[in-house]
């Protein structure tokens, strides 16, 4: 796992945008996350699209997850959120941005259909991830199978509380979601997890330095040959080997080895 600890939120957004941009080309398949964490990266990419020749034409995108039971077009649905925060501001075709259908009558069939769509697209080249305070990625809450595929999950009460800020109150947050499984997520070619702020410090330490365990679903990144964690100093505060990760990064950038030989 490559640990990239940077001074602040802006530096995280810039570095994450650099990494994502390196995958953007016609035919690329991008895995997008919603939530607050990647917003700075999306804004940076929109700025690059407007001011330079960065084009997303011919790219496809898959979302990690979707709330169950919100009507399509609901402003807090993840399909609508990603459209508003990112994809309508760039030149990716709207029908090339897919998410699991949380409004389907048959949610199991919708989950299987979503898996098929990802496979038919040839898989995801790079998957952007945030992490929940309880260690979830996508909405794979603690206890999720490490080999799970897209399916229905029930949100942890901690996640409901964390996400209440997007709704009027916790009681309005849907309790169920369709989410890519941990097995689906690790099939992506590169996992790029972002974490910002002191509220994520425990989760970052657990995913990077704790045991590989369903108790911290994000620890599945340890199993992936190409996983990059980009976080700010506050989110890195509980890491035991923070000094080592900083030294590796410094030495690599001094030797300009980052792109050639990232340390897995
Ligand atoms: C969102 C998602 C979630 C979030 C996580 C962190 O699509 O899959 O795993 O990444 O809940 O959310 P924020 O970034 O709002 O702290």
């Amino acid at each position: 796992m490559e640990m990239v600890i940077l001074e602040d939120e802006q530096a995280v957004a810039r570095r994450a945008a650099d990494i994502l941009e390196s995958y953007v080309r016609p035919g690329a398949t991008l895995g997008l996350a919603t939530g607050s964490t990647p917003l700075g990266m999306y804004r940076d990419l929109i700025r690059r699209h407007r001011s330079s020749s960065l084009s997303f034409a011919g790219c496809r995108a898959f979302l990690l997850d979707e709330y169950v039971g919100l009507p399509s077009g609901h402003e807090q649905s993840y399909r609508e959120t990603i459209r508003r925060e990112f994809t309508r501001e760039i030149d990716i075709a709207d029908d090339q941005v897919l998410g699991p259908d949380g409004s389907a009558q048959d949610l199991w069939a919708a989950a299987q259909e979503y898996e098929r769509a990802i496979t038919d697209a040839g898989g995801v080249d790079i998957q952007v991830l945030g992490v929940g305070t309880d260690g979830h990625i996508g909405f794979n809450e603690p206890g999720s199978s490490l080999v799970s595929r897209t399916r229905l999950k029930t949100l942890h009460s901690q996640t409901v509380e964390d996400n209440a800020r997007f709704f009027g109150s916790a009681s309005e947050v849907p309790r169920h979601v369709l989410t890519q499984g941990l097995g689906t997520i690790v099939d992506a070619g590169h996992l790029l997890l972002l974490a910002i702020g002191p509220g994520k410090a425990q989760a970052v330490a657990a995913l990077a330095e704790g045991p590989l365990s369903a108790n911290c679903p994000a620890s599945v990144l340890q199993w992936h040959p190409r996983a990059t964690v980009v976080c700010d100093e506050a989110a890195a505060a509980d890491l035991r080997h923070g000094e080592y990760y900083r030294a590796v990064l410094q030495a690599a950038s001094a030797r300009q080895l980052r792109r050639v030989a990232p340390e897995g």
Side-chain angles (χ1 to χ4, degrees), residues 6 11 33 43 47 76 93-94 156 161 164 170 193 232 234 241 253:
L6 301 170
R43 281 195 285 270
R47 192 183 48 71
Q76 288 308 329
D94 193 55
H156 196 288
E161 211 176 289
L193 185 142
D232 66 358
H241 301 294
S253 51

Side-chain angles (χ1 to χ4, degrees), residues 165-229:
R165 68 191 193 281
F166 297 115
F167 294 80
S169 66
S171 64
E172 289 169 60
V173 181
R175 269 25 184 193
H176 297 98
V177 292
L178 280 184
T179 180
Q180 287 189 32
L182 295 173
T184 318
I185 291 170
V186 297
D187 279 350
H190 186 171
L191 303 182
L192 172 62
L193 185 142
L194 314 181
I196 294 163
K200 299 296 171 71
Q202 269 187 7
V204 168
L207 80 90
E209 297 178 338
L212 170 56
S213 159
N215 190 47
C216 176
S219 65
V220 78
L221 265 72
Q222 296 174 24
W223 194 246
H224 197 280
R226 185 88 174 86
T228 306
V229 174

Side-chain angles (χ1 to χ4, degrees), residues 32-38 64-65 78 129-132 136-139 159 163 165-166 200:
L32 303 179
T34 44
S36 318
T37 311
L64 278 170
D65 38 25
Y78 280 170
L129 299 163
V131 62
H136 70 236
I137 52 173
F139 276 130
T159 306
N163 287 6
R165 68 191 193 281
F166 297 115
K200 299 296 171 71

